[in-house]
Amino acid sequence: MFSYSRLHDISSKVQTAARTTAELCRKSGERILGEVITILRSKSTSPDSRVRAGVCLTLSELMWVSLPTFCGRPWLIMLLVRQNTTDTQRDAQEDEIITMVRLSLVDDEAVVRSAAAQAFDVLQEQIGAKAIDQTIPTLLEAL
């Protein structure tokens, strides 16, 4: 599990919710994961910084519990898309997750950026160079 010591401003309820959501997705698999990602996408632009940070924590937990790969693809990504999807659709799902994390890395609130940094650590382990290539330009622009 992650160390949440850098995220003191996030309540333990948000941290528990992130862990619980990830565990629920791990146990239920694709039946629920797609819906959770849709909800996270909508909440990633919330005016409440605690909600935005919670989205990042939940993405971190989702990717953390799914670190093993399946057929060379991250398990999380394999769950997000059904077997009959095209590479283009799979790439779009990866891009969606990368976008949520990337935008959070340049958020105005430090607590969101800190949560996004943890999500990015796991994201680059899951998706690799693609996550880095799609994120670094945004970070450089923010300087």
Side-chain angles (χ1 to χ4, degrees):
M1 285 291 158
F2 290 102
S3 167
Y4 293 103
S5 60
R6 297 185 305 185
L7 301 174
H8 296 307
D9 294 340
I10 301 289
S11 75
S12 63
K13 290 180 183 179
V14 172
Q15 294 171 7
T16 301
R19 288 186 200 121
T20 302
T21 301
E23 188 63 21
L24 178 64
C25 288
R26 185 184 68 77
K27 290 180 179 178
S28 300
E30 69 181 80
R31 294 179 301 183
I32 192 170
L33 188 59
E35 292 179 39
V36 168
I37 294 297
T38 300
I39 293 167
L40 292 174
R41 182 183 340 108
S42 71
K43 296 298 182 183
S44 68
T45 58
S46 169
D48 186 343
S49 63
R50 294 173 300 169
V51 172
R52 295 190 312 271
V55 166
C56 293
L57 291 176
T58 303
L59 286 171
S60 295
E61 291 289 341
L62 285 171
M63 291 183 286
W64 181 256
V65 299
S66 59
L67 272 175
T69 60
F70 177 73
C71 296
R73 307 271 312 170
W75 183 80
L76 172 67
I77 302 305
M78 293 305 292
L79 279 179
L80 281 173
V81 293
R82 301 192 187 276
Q83 293 177 354
N84 61 351
T85 58
T86 66
D87 285 341
T88 303
Q89 291 168 317
R90 253 190 310 280
D91 287 344
Q93 293 286 355
E94 288 177 356
D95 291 344
E96 188 174 349
I97 294 169
I98 292 169
T99 298
M100 281 190 276
V101 173
R102 182 181 65 229
L103 294 175
S104 297
L105 284 168
V106 295
D107 195 276
D108 291 337
E109 298 290 332
V111 68
V112 178
R113 291 190 308 268
S114 183
Q118 287 187 347
F120 181 73
D121 284 345
V122 181
L123 183 65
Q124 61 87 22
E125 288 180 41
Q126 278 276 1
I127 297 176
K130 179 180 178 178
I132 295 167
D133 293 344
Q134 290 186 16
T135 303
I136 297 301
T138 301
L139 296 176
L140 291 175
E141 284 178 26
L143 294 176

